[in-house]
Amino acid sequence: MLNSEYVPIKMEEDLLLVRKCVRQLASSVGFGVLDMTRLMTAAVELGRNTLIHGKGGHMRAVIVVKDKAKGIRLDFEDAGPGIPDLDLALTDGYTSKDGMGLGLSGAKRLVNEFTVIPVTPRGVRIIAISWLDE
Amino acid sequence: MERIPILHVGTLLLVTIQVDMHDRLATNLQEDLTHRLSETHAKGVLIDISALDIVDSYIARIVGNIAQTSRILDAHTVLVGMRPPVAMTLVEMGVTLEGVSTALNIDKGMLLLNKIINK
């Protein structure tokens, strides 16, 4: 069974691979169509953030198990300028460039756990976890 | 360059998105539709997204732009076929698709467009 995946995010077409990879993992864990749609959408929003704001990076997707719960952890990392004001970036409607300003805040709402970690010397790491409802 | 076909039928432009949508494809569609609207003097645009398993904020923004642009070019846009999980996800993200008319399927979308156009 496929249980861990690494996807480089260097160009726009890579977002299709991000989506495909998350779909495969979510399906193998047993996510229903709604949870799968949420997670794939969150993954594309975060992947776009990595690509545009982070100037490229990668995603690691892995199946995680805690007690009896199964889930998927998506880990995006870039070496871009970082997010100087995280609260601002997570505000609805805030946009650094194009988009609806709902990329990060929208993705956050679609997953169970959402963590943003600054990377030294440059960049940002965003970890999103979705747990499968039993 | 990869492009989504636009069909001109009567006074309408029909677009059925059958491929995985990505940002450039969406931007191209917006440009192409704008050109076709001014060329054909079409009064309505019907966009069928029943094949899309996700719609992210970028695609949603382009759809909003298309609706606004078509309005300025004296046409109306109706979005049809959105899958229920896609609709729920958009609402949860806070995407409102304000100003975009929607219908459940192509038939209902055509009826709605004709109603709007002939008003």
Side-chain angles (χ1 to χ4, degrees), chain B residues 8-13 37 40-46 70-71 73-77 113-114 116-118:
Chain B
H8 183 202
V9 183
T11 55
L12 304 182
L13 296 179
L37 275 174
T40 61
H41 298 228
K43 293 290 174 195
V45 178
L46 191 86
S70 67
R71 204 56 218 96
L73 294 171
D74 193 24
H76 293 270
T77 297
L113 264 180
N114 283 319
I116 298 172
I117 292 166
N118 296 321

Side-chain angles (χ1 to χ4, degrees), chain A residues 13 23 38 45 48 109, chain B residues 23-24 53 57 92-93:
Chain A
E13 282 74 9
R23 189 214 312 268
R38 285 190 182 118
E45 301 290 354
R48 184 178 293 109
R109 288 204 196 103
Chain B
D23 299 6
R24 193 153 19 82
D53 54 4
S57 62
E92 284 170 10
M93 278 202 292

